[in-house]
Amino acid sequence: MRGGKVRKGSRARSSNRADPVVTEIVRNAVIAITEEMKTNLMRTAYSMIIYEAQDFTVGLFTTRGDIISIGIGLPSFIRGMSDTVKAMLAHYGEDGMAPGDVLVTNDAYVTGSHLNHITLVVPVFDGTTLVAFSACMAHWADIGGALNMTTLDIYSEGLQVPILKMYSAGKINEDLMAIFRMNVRISERAIGDLHAQTAAVRTGACRFLELIGRYGRKQVLNGIAAIMDHSEALARKHVLSIPDGVYEAESFMDDDGVDAGQRVPIRVKVIVSGDEMTIDLSEVSMQVKGFYNSGEAAGRGCCQVAFKCITSGLERPINEGSFRPLKIILPAGRVVSATKPAPMRRWMTYPMTVIDTIFKALALAIPNRVIAGHHADMMSAALNGHMPEDGKLFLLNGGLMGGGWGAKNGADGSNATICMNDGDTHNSPLEQMEAKYPVMVDRYALREDSGGAGKWQGGLGAERVVRATSDLMFNAMVERVFCRPWGLFEGHPGAGNQVAVQVGAAPEIRFPSGKVLGRLLKPGDAYISRSGGGGGYGSPLDRPVERIEEDLREGYISRKRAEGCYGVVFGAKTGLIDRPATEVMRAKLRTLSDSVMRPEVEDSGAVVDAEDAGNVPEGLHPPEGVLFPLRCC
């Protein structure tokens, strides 16, 4: 233990009061409870974004609102649900709650996310004693508000629900239900999802009480305290393995959709001291005019997701103890701590890059435990129109789309994987889209050459072409088109995200950014989404030739990429890789590469090549007249 010291302020240990056998039973029981809550919600929800994409999270919380167990789902909800439980407790107090209550809110500045996320919370009573909370946050396909346009404040984004009781002592609040029905466009779907969430949180409450009934309240609660202490100790052990120091990094978002082309800086500082870590987001951009802001809970959630990945990524249940060694500095008014009335429709986008940038900051300290930049966008398309059969309104989120993840030391990045903040959100079946909505998917394939070159190659993005079979409105709100996923330790950046439209059989129209709102598609027109690739790790000249041969066979890279990025030489007659000539070429390229000063860890998602030279922040351009010899096209 560095310096022989553990933080003096760490929580008092409870393990000596807990039965170790009961503790392990409780550990597995709370995981099982949250998984059952998750399954029940998926089976009973009305909206595809819940039962297929799994855009929700469930959890159990202590009487103080601390996390007991979070169901495997969206990492970005990790703080939002806990903060919502705490806000509800502060609003009503224990005396203001009773058995049979179900509390509800979608207050964006409490949950940290957009108004589409409805959170339900059940206070769990053992007799007359409050023992826990059961909660669920899920995405409704619609919450009212404007379609097909940029929103500039929260009021234009839909119905705001303050902290209220949907059920009071078991009796439903019909007035609130009437408000929901009047303010959403497809009320039967919204109310169906509301009842599904109610069933999920009541399931959690019921199972937790069964656990207490079997082992006793004191033993169960002591077991939970012991689990948290164990998670804390494990996290502190991992923090101790990181060298003390102050680590900083910067990246950029393309723009906020209002001030086109104006980069939005994401600057982070990580301070490691002993068995504690501080993440300082003071220098993250101030909140923006466009709808990419998120609340404080999301900003703190970014820090906790990054911290969890670095210290105890596989430790379950996910609980509050894991975060005790982490301190977060996050002033109000940043893009991840926005204040009212900032718009928040695309709340989830910037936090993904905040997490990536925290990893980037720690790359030199723990190079074997971080990944290069990833595509960092859900790549969803918001579609709406009227069904050709009956004229009924439809709202389609376009199906979430995977992209490339950054490579790490020892492994290539994952291909076509959902972005980091959305964790277990699923890559929805295309057949569901085609069966339920007037669209046809022409193509869905991996994107050749999209992964950043490196000793370990970044994951590939994907390309999806979706053709309209009826009139519909197309909206895309995609980021990181220009500020591409960075590589680490001489690894190259991955391809950026991209959005295009094809009118009939004409050539596709590529847009100057990923923000395309209110575009009418007629039957036969198509939209094209291309997710970015992950950044590479290590010099491409160190990638084994046999892996390059495999990449070529699989269609992951082209011959041009093999020659231009990996220094491969092909035989003139055979068309195969000439290994001796390749080794000679690589030796020459290493000499040339070493003569050019290049940053080990790039300070921007932008690319240092002719194509995007105007987008590179000052200080990252190569010396005048000198070109990097191994920049990918």
Side-chain angles (χ1 to χ4, degrees), residues 219-243:
Q219 287 280 29
V220 169
L221 298 182
N222 282 349
I224 290 169
I227 292 166
M228 291 188 183
D229 289 345
H230 174 265
S231 297
E232 177 188 359
L234 183 64
R236 290 188 182 279
K237 178 181 177 181
H238 281 285
V239 176
L240 276 170
S241 68
I242 303 173

Side-chain angles (χ1 to χ4, degrees), residues 98-262:
D101 286 355
V102 179
L103 315 180
V104 62
T105 191
N106 73 339
D107 186 336
Y109 306 98
V110 172
T111 67
S113 58
H114 57 189
L115 298 177
N116 295 75
H117 286 154
I118 298 291
T119 303
L120 296 188
V121 175
V122 166
V124 184
F125 285 88
D126 180 22
T128 59
T129 303
L130 181 68
V131 291
F133 290 96
S134 173
C136 170
M137 181 186 286
H139 183 113
W140 286 16
D142 175 54
I143 196 67
L147 291 176
N148 309 317
M149 61 182 291
T150 295
T151 54
L152 299 178
D153 60 37
I154 196 70
Y155 302 105
S156 57
E157 295 188 339
L159 174 65
Q160 297 182 70
V161 183
I163 294 172
L164 296 170
K165 290 189 179 183
M166 197 184 84
Y167 285 83
S168 183
K171 183 179 179 181
I172 194 167
N173 184 339
E174 293 290 359
D175 292 337
L176 179 56
M177 296 293 282
I179 291 172
F180 278 130
R181 289 189 182 96
M182 182 171 282
N183 282 276
V184 298
R185 293 177 174 87
I186 307 176
S187 61
E188 63 271 20
R189 186 173 299 172
I191 300 304
D193 291 339
L194 185 64
H195 289 318
Q197 286 183 256
T198 303
V201 290
R202 284 176 170 168
T203 296
C206 179
R207 295 292 180 260
F208 193 79
L209 287 176
E210 289 175 0
L211 186 65
I212 284 178
R214 184 172 299 167
Y215 298 102
R217 184 196 307 165
K218 183 177 180 181
Q219 287 280 29
V220 169
L221 298 182
N222 282 349
I224 290 169
I227 292 166
M228 291 188 183
D229 289 345
H230 174 265
S231 297
E232 177 188 359
L234 183 64
R236 290 188 182 279
K237 178 181 177 181
H238 281 285
V239 176
L240 276 170
S241 68
I242 303 173
D244 283 355
V246 178
Y247 306 98
E248 301 182 64
E250 181 180 56
S251 57
F252 295 88
M253 311 304 296
D254 292 345
D255 59 49
D256 69 349
V258 176
D259 294 324
Q262 185 171 313

Side-chain angles (χ1 to χ4, degrees), residues 29 36 130 177 229 360 413 485 488 509 525 554 563 572 624:
E36 184 180 357
L130 181 68
M177 296 293 282
D229 289 345
K360 184 199 288 189
L488 295 178
I509 303 167
D525 296 347
E554 295 292 337
E563 292 172 328
E624 187 173 355

Side-chain angles (χ1 to χ4, degrees), residues 278-437:
T278 299
I279 298 178
D280 186 348
L281 302 184
S282 300
E283 296 302 315
V284 168
S285 168
M286 300 298 289
Q287 63 191 56
V288 293
K289 299 174 187 175
F291 47 48
Y292 291 92
N293 301 289
S294 55
E296 181 186 348
R300 293 197 291 127
C302 295
C303 300
Q304 291 189 336
V305 169
F307 183 79
K308 177 73 173 170
C309 290
I310 291 165
T311 59
S312 54
L314 301 179
E315 172 74 5
R316 294 186 68 190
I318 300 167
N319 65 81
E320 203 73 37
S322 298
F323 309 114
R324 289 175 184 167
L326 174 65
K327 180 182 177 183
I328 299 167
I329 301 173
L330 178 57
R334 273 50 178 182
V335 288
V336 288
S337 60
T339 57
K340 203 167 187 174
M344 297 171 69
R345 178 180 282 176
R346 297 295 288 185
W347 75 282
M348 75 297 289
T349 303
Y350 286 10
M352 302 174 200
T353 295
V354 173
I355 296 172
D356 261 4
T357 310
I358 293 170
F359 292 152
K360 184 199 288 189
L362 288 166
L364 292 175
I366 46 173
N368 296 331
R369 286 157 61 181
V370 297
I371 65 172
H374 81 307
H375 69 290
D377 198 285
M378 292 195 307
M379 298 300 300
S380 62
L383 311 176
N384 66 83
H386 294 85
M387 298 297 291
E389 301 86 7
D390 54 17
K392 286 187 176 180
L393 175 72
F394 73 84
L395 302 167
L396 172 62
N397 206 35
L400 305 183
M401 183 174 168
W405 277 46
K408 63 181 180 181
N409 187 30
D412 290 346
S414 298
N415 298 330
T417 300
I418 294 294
C419 50
M420 184 173 300
N421 256 27
D422 288 81
D424 204 34
T425 303
H426 283 200
N427 193 342
S428 303
L430 299 178
E431 293 79 5
Q432 285 275 13
M433 288 175 58
E434 294 178 329
K436 294 177 181 292
Y437 302 99

